[in-house]
Amino acid sequence: MTQNRFSTQVFARHRHGLATVSLAALTSLALTGCGSELNDGTPQRESAKNLTPQERPSHPSPEQEAFAAMLATYAQTCPAPGGKPSVPPAEPADLEPTQSLAPGERPPAEPIEPAPPTGPEAELNDRDWCASVHHEQRIVEALQKVAQPTPATVRKTLNDLGYIDEHIHGLKQDGRTTRFYLDLRESGGRLCETGLAAGETSDVTPCVALASGPFTVTTEKRP
């Protein structure tokens, strides 16, 4: 009888030990599944699908790198970024053209000063204003060759020139023409272009966008 009690106690202690080991193993597995730290104190790596867009690494695509290089190329002959808005200098008083007067009309008592510039001309800095000329010339020349300027053909034409989709906005058919915007902001600038694809009468003019954030046009003179 004493031997049976001894065996029962030994078996009970052995079973209790196994239960303790099993519980510890299960606890370890549960902690590992919940993203606990590794033995060296380094947190386990979460799966990519659980990361927010802000947490994912951001690397420019080859197309984005080529687009940025193109903007830099056309701006390299222009003034450095961060300049003040471009304001054309006023003509000297002694070089102002004389106006012919009708019979009996008197000349004005004071010289007439030119009105200050308004619109994109007054808001874009020298760098943006300079770069806009390069972009407008090549875009207009390409659009003049598009016989049927639909949103699809205009997008393809702009893509062929190096302007990527994420910087093309507002493609919209307007009768037999197509209107669009181009986001050309770089180095803190505010340059954008508003365009009208209309075959031989195509036109592109500069506009002004917010310096940062989503593309938003603030000032424009539509062609």
Side-chain angles (χ1 to χ4, degrees):
M1 187 70 176
T2 303
Q3 183 178 1
N4 289 340
R5 279 203 307 270
F6 176 77
S7 300
T8 302
Q9 291 174 355
V10 171
F11 176 75
R13 285 198 301 271
H14 179 68
R15 183 174 59 181
H16 178 71
L18 289 177
T20 303
V21 173
S22 299
L23 178 60
L26 290 175
T27 303
S28 176
L29 290 174
L31 289 176
T32 302
C34 293
S36 62
E37 292 186 346
L38 299 176
N39 292 335
D40 61 356
T42 304
Q44 288 187 336
R45 182 178 300 176
E46 298 288 345
S47 61
K49 66 181 180 180
N50 293 330
L51 298 178
T52 63
Q54 292 77 12
E55 293 173 333
R56 293 191 181 100
S58 176
H59 301 290
S61 66
E63 292 78 10
Q64 291 172 327
E65 291 180 343
F67 176 73
M70 179 189 67
L71 294 185
T73 298
Y74 287 112
Q76 67 182 358
T77 59
C78 299
K84 296 181 180 179
S86 176
V87 178
E91 295 183 358
D94 56 348
L95 297 180
E96 290 183 358
T98 57
Q99 298 180 353
S100 58
L101 300 176
E105 184 179 0
R106 296 182 179 181
E110 298 180 358
I112 301 176
E113 296 183 358
T118 60
E121 183 179 357
E123 297 184 42
L124 293 175
N125 59 32
D126 289 339
R127 180 183 178 87
D128 284 344
W129 193 257
C130 168
S132 70
V133 177
H134 298 291
H135 291 288
E136 290 160 17
Q137 181 177 359
R138 65 194 301 262
I139 294 171
V140 169
E141 289 178 355
L143 291 178
Q144 287 176 338
K145 300 175 183 178
V146 181
Q148 297 180 347
T150 63
T153 57
V154 170
R155 181 184 294 278
K156 183 179 184 305
T157 300
L158 295 175
N159 288 159
D160 291 343
L161 292 175
Y163 301 99
I164 57 181
D165 285 341
E166 61 191 87
H167 287 263
I168 301 174
H169 301 272
L171 272 171
K172 183 178 181 181
Q173 186 108 25
D174 186 4
R176 295 184 177 180
T177 65
T178 293
R179 294 187 176 274
F180 63 92
Y181 292 98
L182 277 177
D183 178 6
L184 302 179
R185 295 174 294 175
E186 59 96 26
S187 299
R190 303 178 61 191
L191 176 63
C192 62
E193 298 284 350
T194 174
L196 176 67
E200 294 183 356
T201 59
S202 297
D203 195 11
V204 179
T205 59
C207 57
V208 184
L210 293 177
S212 60
F215 178 69
T216 304
V217 177
T218 59
T219 306
E220 65 173 306
K221 289 183 179 179
R222 302 183 73 180

